[in-house]
Amino acid sequence: MVRNGKQYLDSLKDNRCIYINGEKVDDVTTHPAFRGITQSFATLYDLAADPANDMIYTTEDGTTANKVFMIPRCREELAIRRRAITKWAEATCGFAGRSPDHVAAFLAGFASSPEVFGEYKQNVLDFYQYARDEDLFVTYVIIPPQVDRSKAAHEQEEKYLPVGVLEERKEGIVVRGSQMLGTSTAVSNYLFVSCITPLRPGDEDYAISFVLPIDTPGLKLYPRPAYATGKESTFDYPLSTQFDESDSLVVFNDVFIPWKHVFTYKNIEATRAQFHETPAHVLGNNQAQIRLSTKLKFTIGVARKITAMGGTDKFPQVQERLGELASLAATVEGMLLASEYECVVDEKGTARPNARFLYGIVGMQDQIYAGVIKILRELVGGGVLQLPSSYHEMVNPETKDDIRQYIRASGVDSEARIQLYRLAWDIIGSEFAGRHQQYEMFYNGAPFVVRGHAYRNYGYHEPLEIVDRFLGSYTLPKALLKEE
């Protein structure tokens, strides 16, 4: 089944335990902090459910499902998957980093190499099929809380700061502790829990992977402040009001997990291997780069439109900066397409985007996004600072004439100018904007981690062979040759 937006919204009306501003949330679909993003995700489900959008495929089991769950078997299927993911990315302008297609990609990667999970492989296959066939929204928390990052999990002051095994029972396990960074978790159906940061000997109690429904007893979510709250108008804050996903600390107060939902158990090697010895990390980051490419296109579209509105796009120095934006966006898109074109079909028959090109651009993501935002800031100048406090000044009889007279552009009325500049501010200057710059900087972890992926996956044998071949093409001077 491919569900629609109403079915998604109805699935969120359960007993999930979320606290924000000191109060328990009764219904995420109506609460001001989450209403905008749940409506936006509902739109994605409606889009996918419409056959005209070509986001439905027939699975290997004969069921129909959303293409975001596809296990690609060839280059063409990677392209089919990319086109489907792009439709969703365009619907959110690339500003929903943990939309339902992200962890769906990880689950597809897990299911394509179930042997990595050993005795729990059937659990992985069963849950993947269940999530796929029910079109579930699954999110994840895979990073321990930042209490003392110099110590391993088992070396912390208290035993259960990161989530770990408290008790083993015949029917399953009981876990206690916390994990971050639960982006979109408050508005999802299931949570995948694990640890992607390196674990050390002694950390076995924390070397686990499992899934659970968001309304599981003992599971509590503590979201950061909501950027949608207090924003009464989408006109004034078009991105904040619609695409604030929320990020949450997730706390496990002695939560019971049945064995059927356990993927790895007290196994450091398997917990690491699930990400990097399956296609999961590659497919998940492929989705992320499809989203980033769309986000950059949208952002440079705003830059191009603003410079055209003010007439500055005729200045050579402005064209230079627009050209720099174009180069950055084209680099991301080009590397994304190169990773697809040069894909590798592994021994299990899964088509993986080429890691050289994929991680090459992942390693530059923090710099590229920061660079794009810096240029957009330069191009909009002080115009984003000289806007009315809200749309109310545009309708108040005492103020509207001043706004229309003085905040406009040549040939463009005040409504159109203010609308565009409000959008620009929500990209570069609002709380929502600040969160996104920080988010893209650490999307895949610390810079040394993401560049480590690029280092390991580049394939240095090729450039070394070129250098060695050249060095071997000429002889040393006789004076340097060793005498026999």
Side-chain angles (χ1 to χ4, degrees), residues 69 71 102-112 124 127-128 131-132 136 138 192 211 263 280:
F69 284 96
I71 299 176
H102 185 68
V103 177
F106 277 79
L107 295 175
F110 293 161
S112 72
V124 173
F127 183 77
Y128 163 71
R132 179 198 67 191
L136 296 179
V138 184
F192 169 70
V211 291
F263 290 1

Side-chain angles (χ1 to χ4, degrees), residues 369-381:
Y369 190 72
V372 166
I373 295 302
K374 181 177 185 296
I375 295 171
L376 181 57
R377 282 182 175 276
E378 294 173 5
L379 294 175
V380 301

Side-chain angles (χ1 to χ4, degrees), residues 229-245:
T229 303
K231 310 292 194 304
E232 63 173 297
S233 165
T234 298
F235 181 87
D236 290 323
Y237 291 93
L239 301 177
S240 299
T241 55
Q242 299 185 80
F243 305 132
D244 182 20
E245 304 168 274

Side-chain angles (χ1 to χ4, degrees), residues 140-146 178-183 194 248-250:
Y140 61 31
V141 283
I142 54 177
I143 303 172
Q146 297 179 348
S178 65
Q179 210 78 337
M180 53 182 280
L181 187 68
T183 304
S194 192
S248 298
L249 174 70
V250 181

Side-chain angles (χ1 to χ4, degrees), residues 32-306:
F34 309 105
R35 181 173 58 237
I37 189 62
T38 57
Q39 290 297 324
S40 294
F41 285 151
T43 298
L44 299 189
Y45 280 107
D46 280 336
L47 192 155
D50 185 348
N53 292 314
D54 194 25
M55 287 190 66
I56 302 172
Y57 79 111
T58 301
T59 73
E60 295 169 341
D61 302 312
T63 58
T64 56
N66 190 326
K67 286 179 179 176
V68 302
F69 284 96
M70 282 184 69
I71 299 176
R73 301 298 184 183
C74 60
R75 181 197 296 164
E76 178 55 31
E77 289 190 357
L78 274 173
I80 290 170
R81 177 178 173 274
R82 168 175 50 80
R83 288 191 286 269
I85 292 171
T86 299
K87 286 184 172 70
W88 270 10
E90 288 176 347
T92 64
C93 308
F95 280 90
R98 291 289 186 261
S99 48
D101 45 350
H102 185 68
V103 177
F106 277 79
L107 295 175
F110 293 161
S112 72
S113 300
E115 70 285 347
V116 171
F117 297 87
E119 62 183 297
Y120 301 101
K121 66 180 181 181
Q122 193 59 48
N123 293 352
V124 173
L125 291 171
D126 290 345
F127 183 77
Y128 163 71
Q129 292 169 1
Y130 172 63
R132 179 198 67 191
D133 293 347
E134 296 297 320
D135 207 5
L136 296 179
F137 185 177
V138 184
T139 52
Y140 61 31
V141 283
I142 54 177
I143 303 172
Q146 297 179 348
V147 177
D148 187 342
R149 299 170 71 185
S150 69
K151 296 179 180 178
H154 73 281
E155 296 171 339
Q156 298 292 325
E157 297 177 355
E158 301 170 30
K159 182 163 185 180
Y160 296 104
L161 290 175
V163 65
V165 178
L166 174 70
E167 180 185 350
E168 179 179 327
R169 299 177 183 172
K170 181 179 179 181
E171 302 83 8
I173 60 175
V174 177
V175 297
R176 178 185 291 180
S178 65
Q179 210 78 337
M180 53 182 280
L181 187 68
T183 304
S184 290
T185 296
V187 297
S188 65
N189 301 123
Y190 267 77
L191 183 63
F192 169 70
V193 182
S194 192
C195 185
I196 199 170
T197 56
L199 295 169
R200 307 176 196 171
D203 287 340
E204 285 76 11
D205 283 347
Y206 308 92
I208 51 177
S209 299
F210 57 89
V211 291
L212 73 167
I214 301 300
D215 67 343
T216 300
L219 185 69
K220 298 167 73 175
L221 274 61
Y222 295 95
R224 58 158 170 76
Y227 307 139
T229 303
K231 310 292 194 304
E232 63 173 297
S233 165
T234 298
F235 181 87
D236 290 323
Y237 291 93
L239 301 177
S240 299
T241 55
Q242 299 185 80
F243 305 132
D244 182 20
E245 304 168 274
S246 183
D247 309 289
S248 298
L249 174 70
V250 181
V251 173
F252 302 82
N253 284 336
D254 299 357
V255 177
F256 175 72
I257 310 297
W259 285 118
K260 70 175 182 177
H261 283 164
V262 175
F263 290 1
T264 70
Y265 183 63
K266 294 189 177 183
N267 188 324
I268 292 174
E269 177 56 30
T271 301
R272 183 202 64 80
Q274 66 184 335
F275 296 112
H276 301 295
E277 293 183 21
T278 75
H281 201 262
V282 173
L283 290 177
N285 278 282
N286 178 244
Q287 179 275 338
Q289 296 310 305
I290 295 169
R291 177 200 61 81
L292 178 64
S293 179
T294 303
K295 186 177 187 178
L296 295 184
K297 286 182 183 179
F298 180 80
T299 303
I300 68 171
V302 171
R304 186 71 178 86
K305 200 169 180 66
I306 279 180

